Every structure is written in structure tokens, then in C-alpha cells.
């Protein structure tokens, strides 16, 4: 671990908290029981539902500590999914502010695409907007944790 140097370090009751930069962003770690970067280290990985993600993070730490080339994360969110999540969060935010589905659709898809008359009741953008809001509510109620899990353990959203 001697090759590691923290971008940020803070001492706490349990040990020393570090943020280490690598090609994929920041990696959080905690040195416990007086461990230092100059000594051999071990990683504690609980055998729980999040084991695959934790093991991947441990492998990432090993690559950084050993100055190995970083791998592109195989579980990164695609740009299409990222765009959908942005729409979901915008729809949820507007819904939480009391906006109507029609107003949300206008903000997300443009006023020209949203019919002003009774055609709105059967329009596909109405259904899509409702689904975006419902998904946002589900994420808000804890479903966002699925985004953090390893790809094989994620629920489809």
C-alpha cells in the first residue's frame, strides 16, 4: 500500500479515513487498528448481498495500490440509462413541487409535443411522464440502492 497517497485524509475514532484518486474517480477507504500505508494491508469484505460490488471495489483498490492500469468499470451506467435517470429525477422533482403531468411533460419534452386539448388523455407522452414519475417515487423510497449494486443483482428499472 506504500504507493497510495490520499487526496484527503481525516483521523476518526475508528481509524484514518482516506479518499484516494484513480482513473475512475475517488475511492474511499479506512485504515483501522493503527494500519499505515507503509505496511501490508488486508481488506474486509462482508459476505452479504452487496459482496460482488464490494469485491470489485477491493480489486480496484489493489490495482491503485499496486500501480496497475485501471479497468473501465464493467458495471457503469450506459448513457441512455443516464439520460433516463436525469428525466426521472426532473419528473420527480416537478411532481414533488405539485406540477401536473402535462406541465411535467411540457418541461421534459417541449410544449410543442404535448397536445393542449383532450388528446392529452390518450397521448403516449402522458403515459411516459406518469411512468417517469412513478419510477422516481420508487427510487426515492429506496429503489436508488439498486443503482449501487453489482449489475447481476440490480432490479430492472
Amino acid at each position: 500500500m506504500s504507493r497510495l497517497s490520499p487526496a484527503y485524509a481525516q483521523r476518526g475514532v475508528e481509524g484514518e479515513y482516506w479518499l484516494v484518486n484513480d482513473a475512475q474517480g475517488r475511492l474511499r477507504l479506512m485504515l483501522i487498528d493503527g494500519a499505515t500505508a507503509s505496511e501490508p494491508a488486508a481488506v474486509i469484505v462482508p459476505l452479504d448481498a452487496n459482496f460482488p460490488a464490494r469485491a470489485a471495489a477491493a480489486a480496484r483498490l489493489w490495482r491503485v495500490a499496486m500501480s496497475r492500469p485501471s479497468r473501465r468499470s464493467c458495471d457503469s451506467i450506459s448513457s441512455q440509462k443516464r439520460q433516463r435517470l436525469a428525466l426521472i429525477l426532473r419528473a420527480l422533482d416537478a411532481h414533488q413541487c405539485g406540477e401536473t403531468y402535462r406541465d411535467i411533460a411540457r418541461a421534459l419534452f417541449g410544449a410543442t409535443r404535448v397536445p393542449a386539448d383532450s388528446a392529452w388523455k390518450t397521448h403516449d407522452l402522458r403515459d411516459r411522464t406518469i411512468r417517469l414519475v412513478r419510477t422516481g417515487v420508487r427510487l426515492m423510497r429506496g429503489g436508488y440502492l439498486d443503482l449501487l449494486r453489482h449489475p447481476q443483482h440490480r432490479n430492472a428499472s
Side-chain angles (χ1 to χ4, degrees):
M1 280 206 4
S2 61
R3 295 182 186 116
L4 285 180
S5 83
Y8 173 81
Q10 181 176 342
R11 189 142 233 15
V13 176
E14 304 88 8
E16 194 166 340
Y17 296 90
W18 281 17
L19 286 177
V20 177
N21 292 326
D22 77 345
Q24 295 178 15
R26 288 195 164 168
L27 189 60
R28 293 178 194 90
L29 59 117
M30 184 172 78
L31 303 175
I32 59 173
D33 295 333
T36 66
S38 61
E39 299 171 358
V43 175
I44 300 170
V45 182
L47 296 172
D48 62 3
N50 296 318
F51 176 80
R54 294 175 200 263
R60 181 175 157 205
L61 173 62
W62 178 81
R63 281 192 297 278
V64 171
M66 297 295 130
S67 298
R68 300 284 175 122
S70 66
R71 294 182 185 165
R72 178 149 167 84
S73 178
C74 62
D75 63 344
S76 62
I77 298 173
S78 69
S79 62
Q80 183 179 3
K81 178 98 173 191
R82 212 175 284 280
Q83 289 171 352
R84 186 167 189 277
L85 285 169
L87 286 175
I88 288 167
L89 293 176
R90 290 178 60 202
L92 175 64
D93 189 41
H95 179 72
Q96 294 290 99
C97 290
E99 297 295 331
T100 65
Y101 289 128
R102 188 185 303 228
D103 289 337
I104 294 170
R106 284 183 185 132
L108 295 179
F109 307 113
T112 57
R113 293 186 58 196
V114 178
D117 55 6
S118 62
W120 167 249
K121 292 279 186 186
T122 58
H123 201 274
D124 65 316
L125 285 181
R126 179 179 181 269
D127 295 335
R128 185 174 179 197
T129 303
I130 291 170
R131 281 193 310 272
L132 289 170
V133 169
R134 285 183 182 160
T135 302
V137 170
R138 192 178 75 242
L139 288 173
M140 181 182 68
R141 292 184 177 151
Y144 69 93
L145 294 170
D146 289 338
L147 298 173
L148 305 175
R149 292 196 174 92
H150 203 264
Q152 290 100 355
H153 294 64
R154 284 189 193 139
N155 295 334
S157 59

